[in-house]
Amino acid sequence: MRLGIDIGGTKTDAVAVDASGSLAQRVRLATGFGSTAVVETAVAAVSRIGELTGLSATGFDSIGIGIPGLVDNASGHVAHAVNLGLEGLELGGELAGRLGVGVRIENDVKAAALGAYHLLGLDGTMAYLNLGTGMAAGIVVDGRLWRGRGGIAGEIGHIPVDPKGVLCACGQRGCLETVASGSGVARQWKTDDPLPVRALFAAAADGDRNARAIKARLAEGIASAVRVLVLTVDVDSVVIGGGLSHLGDRLLCDVHEVLESWSTSSPFLASLSLQDRVRLVPEDSPVAALGAALVGEKLSG
């Protein structure tokens, strides 16, 4: 039995995965803010899953954790996870001391990429395009994560596409993330709705011209991310996940329309069949927690 934990900005998702790779148990709990609270959240998740499976922390074959921020997967150090109030945390070491067993730490998007690859039964190459507060991708090649030299592979949200665009949190202007992410939508569409993209799509459906324009920019930005991933890595498939993926076919159809329109004007893009490579992660699938369980297995071997 393997244990995987996805520590998000507001909630933590924990799963137990059996020997066949199937989901055996799942729990969700609120995520604490700050270094001490994040460690306590992880410990509580291990305890809750342990109660359901009858296993102590040392009884699991492996424990893996996915968490936002810059992660050194070799040391377990987490840096600059702003939404969690972390500027530096030796999470792997802290948890090993509390649990009495080694814990593998990975960036949450990269963990989700591995989980999506496994859940969908894919082979070859895949990019997991995470559309949440920000935009990032995780790349899997033949079942293993491709991190690049410093773990930056897949950070396509910070590719500038408009030199006159708004200032991005990374310090550049006009990055993909500024138009094709939850924060990008929230900046452009002011609303009291806790899910601005939901309000945006509703207003667009009611005929609001500004909402339709923002919605079109969102679709074009996501399509641009798909194009970048295919042109740079030539992945077999691009799987869209993250909070915006909950829009389902409404979002996917918009992205397909953009990709198909590009294909009609570019024989080169038409030859790549971009629209045929894109799919959504299954609704309510705990891919990040599942991937964290697999990260523990992959790195302990």
Side-chain angles (χ1 to χ4, degrees), residues 74-181:
S75 69
H77 178 79
V78 182
H80 197 58
V82 178
N83 290 340
L84 293 171
L86 303 181
E87 283 299 330
L89 173 63
E90 299 296 338
L91 183 59
E94 290 270 0
L95 289 177
R98 291 287 299 276
L99 301 174
V101 64
V103 177
R104 302 292 184 171
I105 314 296
E106 183 56 87
N107 170 266
D108 59 341
V109 174
K110 288 181 171 58
L114 196 60
Y117 189 90
H118 171 83
L119 182 69
L120 294 171
L122 301 178
D123 54 20
T125 57
M126 180 212 74
Y128 175 81
L129 179 58
N130 190 78
L131 304 175
T133 302
M135 171 196 280
I139 300 168
V140 181
V141 179
D142 295 330
R144 298 189 68 85
L145 286 169
W146 181 43
R147 297 182 177 83
R149 177 182 174 183
I152 303 301
E155 288 290 345
I156 63 169
H158 297 300
I159 294 177
V161 292
D162 180 4
K164 296 182 179 179
V166 300
L167 184 66
C168 180
C170 74
Q172 301 182 99
R173 285 197 174 273
C175 293
L176 273 175
E177 183 172 293
T178 64
V179 293
S181 67

